[in-house]
Amino acid sequence: MAADNSVLLGLVEEFVSGQVDSKAAETVTGSSEKSIVNVIHCLSSCRLSLTSSQPQTRGRGVQLLSQVLQECYSSLSERELEVLLAFYENRLKDHYVIIPHVLQGLNALTKCSVLPPGSAVSILRSIFQDLHVQSLMLAERSCVYNILVSLMESKEEELKGLGADFIYGFVQSVDGERDPRNLLLAFQVARNIIHRGYDLGKFVEELFEVMSCYFPIDFSPPPSDPHRITQEELVLSLRAVLTGTSQFAEFLLPLIIEKLDSDIQSAKVDSLQTLAACGLTYSHKELAKFLPGLWSSIQREVFQTASEGVESAGLSALSALVSCLSRSVLNSDSEDVLQVFLSLVLQDCQHHLCEPDLKLVWPSAKLLQAAAGASYRASLIVSAAVIPALLEQYNNETQVRSLLMYFSLCLLHKHTEDSVLVAFQQSLCSVVFSALTESGAGLQVTATRVLTALGQQPGLLAQTDVEKVVDHLTRLILEEDDTKVSLAVVECSGSLAHLHHKAFISRLIPRLKEEILSAVRQRCVTALASVSSLPSVVQESAPILLQVLASAHTGSCGFSVEEVVAVCISLQKIAEHVRDSEGIGRFFHDIIIPHLLGLCLQAALQSRDAGQLFERKKQHLWDSSCHSFTSRQVEIPEIDRLLVQLEDLSCTGPHLFSYTFAAKCFAGLVNKMPAGEALDAVLERVMKRISVELENVSSAQRTQAFTLLLWVSKALLLRYHPLSTALTDKLFALLSDPALGSQVADGFCVLMSDSLDVLNRNCHADVRIMYRQRFFAENTTKIIQGFNSAEQEKKSYYLKALSHIVSNLPRQVQLTELPVLLPLLLEALSCADQAVQLSTLSCLQPVLLEPPAAIRNQLEALFSRLLTLTTSPAMKVRIASLQCVHALSRLPEHMVLPFRARVLKALAVPLDDTKRLVRMEAMVARGEWFLLGSPGGR
């Protein structure tokens, strides 16, 4: 022990007297391996340095002690802390060169979990009395703020006992701070003071002044800033302080009004967003006397600004104010502040609605909509004043009609349980029906949306109105050529048919049946699929589609292949709509599927040209028909002979259809065979044949051999057969094959996805639980290593395989594993292979609905790639990327609002896409992004 102490003492003396900084590190290392008591004992033996008359010598001693404590503070006892705290508090009165080291030591000591009672108060009194914090260097000021944060976490009750003295000391310490790192700490302390119930006493205004001097934040981090502090971090931290207590209201609200006069757009947005945040904390009492000034400022910004950001923030602020006032509890002798405020809003906005030549008509409508959407009480007041006026002016101006549609739609979406429009039901229905006969596409589209909302709320559509609705929709389906209108009409029909199916069965379906073979047959087919969401409707609509297929089969109506496929897809959609209905399942089984198979057979027996016409239809329907394989308990006669013939057909069949289904049948039988010598012999024979074909690069049957390998691998993987690992390793090896690499990558989709016609539980296959998770766990590393070592032109195969595997995993597994795989998935989005892009997008889209932190940290890269893909040459890629962009709008607003303008600009391009499906996805996505952050948004 004595020898150890001598070594430490020597190190201490070398550091203090010799100015050798490296000795400090050796001392820290040595002390961390021994008891802290010994360290203090050794340091006390060189007390001459701590009591030296030379400030520099004392400073070196304190510096060494503080560095030791930073490593060993958790080992201190309460008694040792008392001694050290007394020493350090006393040193705060020492020479200024010692103060930085004293603060470092105190910062370490305040992190201890065994701080003696009363020590927190003693430390803060010493700091507040003996230091002028703002005269210290940046690092020392940071120490002071960190000391405050630590003590507020561990000794909150002691600090609250200081009362207003603590607030005063903090105000004095932070006054004049300019460094953004320290400001974040200071804002954190202030936020804790406000939200944790500290008594502000008579220093409310002082605390507000020392914080509000930074409002609004104007900060641009340097390009090479290693701390990565953003303006948004500072803005949100300061906003949480300023809006955290209603005691600041009398100071903050005038300040907001003042700052809204700024010429800087970001200052206006920050002020309006801060005002919106006040609505969550304040009551009508704090707002009352400032309402005229606030309304005047909001009105001016919405009326005059050319910035979407300022307008959106202004509307949000108005909505927040109205929502706050709506929560006020009225007494018999009290004034209804909400009524008074809305009177101001109506007085300044309502008259503009009937002056369509003025540019203020739409800003006024947006302001009124923001106010009405804030609460049910507000919607009653606003609608009672606005709707009658618009109805009175409806026939005079087209713009008034649009305003009425817009305003009604906003109210219908905001208040769905007890609609405020019941009183105007008859007039509103008449207006909507009139709009449907207008020539303007925009007005017609809005009218269909209003109809959809009206039909989904009780009491707003009488039975006679429903019949009129169906007649109007039928007319538009058959006559309207505008794509946007047609799309809106079909969507409206699908929504209302689920609620009012009798009217659609009696009025719309007969008319579509009459026109199904005419020039508008494609519209009729689409509409039939859309309205067929109930069994009663399906029984009427599906036979009509069969009639179309029969006519196409005879060739009497000149149907194209695309039209035939569209009819088949419509039948598939109908089956998906009602797949939980036992009656419809029987209906398809007994009528639809036999009819389809009969058409397929007839087409196969006809000429080659006719066969080509139906080839795509046959392939599409065959995959979805009611295939059934026998149970494992059923003995199949001559199974060995059957397996040999299937193997031969799989390896030598000249047609994709024949050798693929032969491979499926072979795999289905292998999956069910009991373990033993018979199964081993079959697998040994088939694997030998597959290997011979695959190793011969000039063989004409390599694709067939690969197909058989793929399905046998799936059969063994599902049942956890030991040979499955060897087979999947063969597949991974084939990813680098020049001829088969792309097919192999697509094969992983087959391997991981559910098969509809074979190798599923309905076919009595041997399927073990969690086989996908097991496959993923065993093989992810192989894909990543293969990607890293692959040649550049073959990397896309590994990316495609990975995206197929991940997209078929359960959602929870995707969320867990995504942080590891995200870099590869993002790279896959940049891959030139459109199939890789599509597969990756299909994988990402469901994950984006509940995005993990890994995606949230990669938003910039994700948005860049997704927005680029919205103009891809491939339609499916454009649609999938738009769906992903749409999903990202559901992230928390503060995360995605910075991307809003960029997204809206990018999505304007696909709105004019040549494909209707792309335009539809772009419209839906852009609508969600446009509403983001606005009162009408989420």
Side-chain angles (χ1 to χ4, degrees), residues 321-369:
L321 289 180
V322 175
S323 178
C324 176
L325 298 179
S326 300
R327 296 193 297 268
S328 60
V329 179
L330 300 179
N331 299 320
S332 58
D333 57 346
S334 66
E335 182 181 45
D336 187 350
V337 184
L338 175 65
Q339 182 71 58
V340 173
F341 181 66
L342 290 179
S343 297
L344 282 176
V345 176
L346 288 166
Q347 175 184 331
D348 291 335
C349 295
Q350 185 178 354
H351 65 281
H352 291 304
L353 300 183
C354 298
E355 299 173 353
D357 293 334
L358 300 180
K359 65 178 182 179
L360 298 182
V361 57
W362 280 107
S364 297
K366 292 178 181 179
L367 286 166
L368 290 171
Q369 182 267 324

Side-chain angles (χ1 to χ4, degrees), residues 557-625:
C557 296
F559 277 82
S560 65
V561 173
E562 288 72 21
E563 288 176 320
V564 172
V565 172
V567 175
C568 296
I569 292 175
S570 296
L571 282 171
Q572 183 187 23
K573 288 181 178 179
I574 292 174
E576 292 172 351
H577 286 165
V578 290
R579 58 187 170 188
D580 295 330
S581 170
E582 182 178 352
I584 291 301
R586 178 60 57 186
F587 175 71
F588 265 75
H589 181 274
D590 295 342
I591 298 176
I592 303 297
I593 291 178
H595 192 95
L596 294 174
L597 293 176
L599 290 174
C600 290
L601 182 59
Q602 292 176 28
L605 296 175
Q606 287 180 348
S607 65
R608 180 180 178 183
D609 292 339
Q612 289 178 345
L613 178 65
F614 278 86
E615 183 61 25
R616 289 173 64 186
K617 180 185 74 170
K618 178 180 68 174
Q619 181 64 47
H620 182 82
L621 294 171
W622 187 273
D623 286 343
S624 58
S625 60

Side-chain angles (χ1 to χ4, degrees), residues 826-883:
L826 288 176
E827 185 161 349
L829 291 180
S830 302
C831 179
D833 190 325
Q834 294 174 355
V836 176
Q837 296 171 355
L838 183 60
S839 179
T840 306
L841 290 169
S842 301
C843 165
L844 284 175
Q845 197 267 340
V847 176
L848 294 179
L849 298 176
E850 298 176 9
I855 280 186
R856 301 183 182 193
N857 296 333
Q858 295 280 352
L859 286 180
E860 178 61 38
L862 193 57
F863 273 106
S864 297
R865 288 163 172 79
L866 290 177
L867 293 178
T868 299
L869 293 178
T870 58
T871 56
S872 166
M875 182 187 75
K876 291 184 178 180
V877 173
R878 300 200 298 275
I879 291 175
S881 61
L882 287 168
Q883 290 171 341

Side-chain angles (χ1 to χ4, degrees), residues 110 146-157 159 188 192 196 198:
T110 53
N146 277 301
I147 289 171
L148 291 176
V149 170
S150 297
L151 293 178
M152 294 181 87
E153 293 298 327
S154 60
K155 293 292 182 180
E156 186 172 87
E157 293 305 317
L159 300 190
Q188 180 182 349
N192 289 344
R196 296 183 182 179
Y198 284 74

